[in-house]
Amino acid sequence: MKITDAKVFVCSPGRNFVTLKIYTDEGLYGLGDATLNGRELSVASYLEDHLVPCLIGRDARNIEDIWQYFYRGAYWRRGPVTMAAIAAVDMALWDIKGKALNTPLYNLLGGKSRHGVMVYGHANGADISETVDQVGQYIDQGYLAIRAQCGIPGVKGTYGVAKDKMFYEPAEKGLPPENEWSTEKYLNHIPKLFQTLRDKYGDDPHLLHDCHHRLTPIEAGRLGKELEPYHLFWLEDTVPAELQEGFRIIRQHTTTPLAVGEVFNTVFDTTTLFTEQLIDYCRMCVVHSGGITPIRKIASFAEIYRIKMGCHGPTDVSPVNMAASVHFNMSINNFGIQEYMRHTPETDAVFPHSYTFRDGYLLPGDKPGFGVDFDEKLAKKYPYERAYLPVNRKIDGTMFDW
Ligand code: KDG
Ligand code: MG
């Protein structure tokens, strides 16, 4: 089965997405997601200018070899742009394989390990009471797990506080907006949020929280310890993730489960974290870690150390990635949870998909491959619009992590 063509589409149905479509001489095509928030055009160029010319004429069935050709064969490796581009090729080839064998992708990855994929939704509010109400609304919709974020008094524009309650989207059109940050105010406020949530909703709902890489290891240790009475499902991205060794300090101070990995690109970002059992959940995303081929290997490596997968699933990756994640999660044993931020109706219309939400779980459907399509005609109505994630400064103006 020869690859005859591959096209890159950049569209903006509510936000920007980069989609790869690979065509074969047997009339089958596959879809891959290559979206990298705020850097979409770089991945599109990496694909169009560097990968697509090398794809034409290759046998679409040889997924592992094509992955190794683009990763191992290249002298300049790793990084989010490279890995998102390789991931899109890999996903599209798995999609084609499923269609060629007329079976949903999870069957090619070992079959079903569970009846559905437990997901968590995002509750956010300007203050504690708004977030508490939001958590209640997710519980009413059947969610079993909810991430809770809230505004911090005295801090303008905190991470996780959205303009739109249902569709949280941190990127904004134009140049990067600037947020404000105070670690002191944040650390004093967040335990009150979780105390209020447990008082109101009891022990059952799984509660999660994202620090978005803003603490030092010892500050993370303090927060984890103060949150222990509210037994979080996980505390995410406590510290900037470049320094794996920092997690040793956090672990010495708290039993709150730790999650990290949404900005990781290869297995090499995880080695200290996994082998020393410094985390409980690996948050790597199918698209930003190079596709289905490498993330399966990363999950197997994590499994040895009893670490579970909790893949990144924000609105800034497309339904193609979400479908790929659902199939992957269905198949592995060490699945923990899947993030599920709902896409807008405009996005869902451009990417019709067979996965569905029911009673706190995503179900993959039984369409061959990923079960996602791409409406090219509709996508043309939504051209690319420049948009950036915010940057962050401390109250005194010092540049900080966002
Ligand atoms: O593009 C950045 C977002 O994907 C990120 O801010 C979302 O932290 C995030 C999460 O946990 O979904
Ligand atoms: Mg996060």
Side-chain angles (χ1 to χ4, degrees), residues 382-394:
Y382 302 105
Y384 168 78
E385 293 186 88
R386 170 165 292 123
Y388 285 94
L389 287 169
V391 295
N392 213 11
R393 290 186 189 275
K394 292 206 263 188

Side-chain angles (χ1 to χ4, degrees), residues 116-124 134-135 137-139 141-149 159-160 165-166 168 194 204-213 232-237 258-263 281-285 308-317 322 325-326 329 335-343 356-363:
V117 167
M118 183 171 72
V119 296
Y120 69 91
H122 280 214
N124 57 70
Q134 274 282 302
V135 168
Q137 286 179 33
Y138 275 100
I139 293 172
Q141 287 173 52
Y143 280 79
L144 305 170
I146 303 121
R147 186 188 96 159
Q149 309 288 137
Y159 168 76
K165 290 271 168 292
M166 202 61 202
Y168 174 58
F194 285 92
D204 275 354
H206 295 307
L207 297 176
L208 301 82
H209 182 71
D210 190 348
C211 307
H212 223 254
H213 314 278
L232 266 59
F233 187 94
W234 79 35
L235 185 60
E236 175 185 340
D237 287 350
L258 302 174
V260 71
E262 67 181 47
V263 296
Y281 295 92
C282 173
R283 298 263 300 126
M284 289 175 78
C285 186
K308 294 186 195 133
M309 299 303 289
C311 292
H312 195 210
T315 38
D316 50 77
V317 287
M322 183 53 75
S325 305
V326 172
N329 289 325
F335 166 70
I337 200 164
Q338 170 66 50
E339 181 180 21
Y340 176 46
M341 285 170 77
R342 285 170 189 264
H343 286 110
T356 48
F357 174 84
R358 202 168 64 218
D359 300 332
Y361 294 86
L362 278 179
L363 310 173

Side-chain angles (χ1 to χ4, degrees), residues 137 158 190 199 241 346 395:
Q137 286 179 33
T158 310
I190 288 301
D199 285 348
E346 292 82 8
I395 285 175

